[in-house]
Amino acid sequence: MKTIGLIGGMSWESSAEYYRLLNELVRDRLGGLHSARCVLYSVDFAEIERLQVRGEWERAGGVLAAAAKGVEAAGAELVLICTNTMHKVADQVQAAISVPLLHLGDATAEAVRRAGVTRVGLLGTAFTMEQDFYRERLSAHGLDVIVPDEAGRDVVHRVIYEELCLGVVREESRAAYQEVIRGLVDRGAEGVILGCTEIELLVQQEHSPVPVFPTTRLHAEAAVDVALTDNSG
């Protein structure tokens, strides 16, 4: 089993989900008392969030690159950035290490394609929904990506930072997300990517009329696939 390196803390609420899912998936695959071999570097999200707001992405990337070097030095044989938004600096992080960075966007797009979906709605932070770095990664896999209107984007972003990152899950916010999802479906979305790792704390499949693609779980599944693949031969 390869050792998985996790760059987490953005927020720690979703990083805890990563840790739980990785261990459950390894247990389910191997049985018995098996659990995932992993190392976690958890950053201070307040520092990262300030850099996001200021648009200081290179500095934020430097923080994550240092974390990636740390988990590689601790024995990681592949690395995950445990957040969708910070994949904006994925190339900077990959350049700092010699082991593979497993891109969350690729893992998600492959799952969407396997489901036979081509036109997909994207929920996430304003950075993820409005900037090109994530949508273009999905589009490169042949997906037609649509995002909510401005009012919908504002709601989705606010709930992430003011509630979900703090572990607050409110029924009113779930209803608001369901309304945003219905709007995407009305515009032709055949599925919806939960493109922020915290959204899975609020929205599950039963809350959507079309398939949802939970990026935390999909990223964890892809990591376990790699970790349990024997490349020795």
Side-chain angles (χ1 to χ4, degrees), residues 24-178:
E24 288 180 351
L25 289 164
V26 169
R27 178 200 63 199
D28 293 346
R29 291 273 291 271
L30 300 182
L33 297 176
H34 282 289
S35 55
R37 291 182 58 183
C38 57
V39 291
L40 167 65
Y41 189 117
S42 189
V43 304
D44 179 2
F45 189 36
E47 176 187 3
I48 299 297
E49 189 271 342
R50 283 194 296 269
L51 295 173
Q52 289 176 340
V53 171
R54 295 172 185 166
E56 296 182 28
W57 295 101
E58 187 171 351
R59 284 186 61 191
V63 174
L64 268 59
K69 290 177 182 177
V71 295
E72 182 178 18
E77 296 166 272
L78 66 148
V79 172
L80 311 185
I81 301 173
C82 300
T83 159
N84 286 271
T85 298
M86 292 310 295
H87 276 72
K88 183 175 174 70
V89 299
D91 290 345
Q92 186 177 349
V93 173
Q94 178 66 84
I97 55 178
S98 60
V99 297
L101 176 72
L102 185 61
H103 198 290
L104 194 157
D106 293 340
T108 299
E110 288 164 9
V112 174
R113 291 293 301 266
R114 285 196 302 270
V117 170
T118 55
R119 185 170 174 83
V120 66
L122 173 63
L123 303 182
T125 66
F127 310 109
T128 299
M129 293 185 289
E130 295 173 2
Q131 298 183 19
D132 292 337
F133 69 94
Y134 198 82
R135 289 185 286 111
E136 287 186 352
R137 190 83 179 202
L138 298 172
S139 297
H141 288 266
L143 299 179
D144 179 13
V145 182
I146 60 175
V147 298
D149 60 20
E150 183 177 0
R153 296 195 303 271
D154 288 346
V155 168
V156 172
H157 181 87
R158 180 190 60 78
V159 169
I160 290 168
Y161 280 90
E162 296 182 10
E163 298 176 18
L164 300 179
C165 285
L166 301 174
V168 176
V169 177
R170 301 174 64 242
E171 285 298 328
E172 296 91 338
S173 297
R174 180 175 288 122
Y177 267 53
Q178 288 179 288

Side-chain angles (χ1 to χ4, degrees), residues 14 17-18 20-21 84 104 108 160 164 169 174 177 193-205 207 212-220:
S14 62
E17 282 293 291
Y18 266 94
R20 179 182 65 81
L21 286 166
N84 286 271
L104 194 157
T108 299
I160 290 168
L164 300 179
V169 177
R174 180 175 288 122
Y177 267 53
I193 293 173
L194 306 183
C196 175
T197 49
E198 284 83 15
I199 293 177
E200 288 156 72
L201 304 175
L202 182 69
V203 175
Q204 289 83 44
Q205 183 58 66
H207 303 127
V212 298
F213 297 93
T215 56
T216 301
R217 174 171 286 278
L218 295 172
H219 206 195

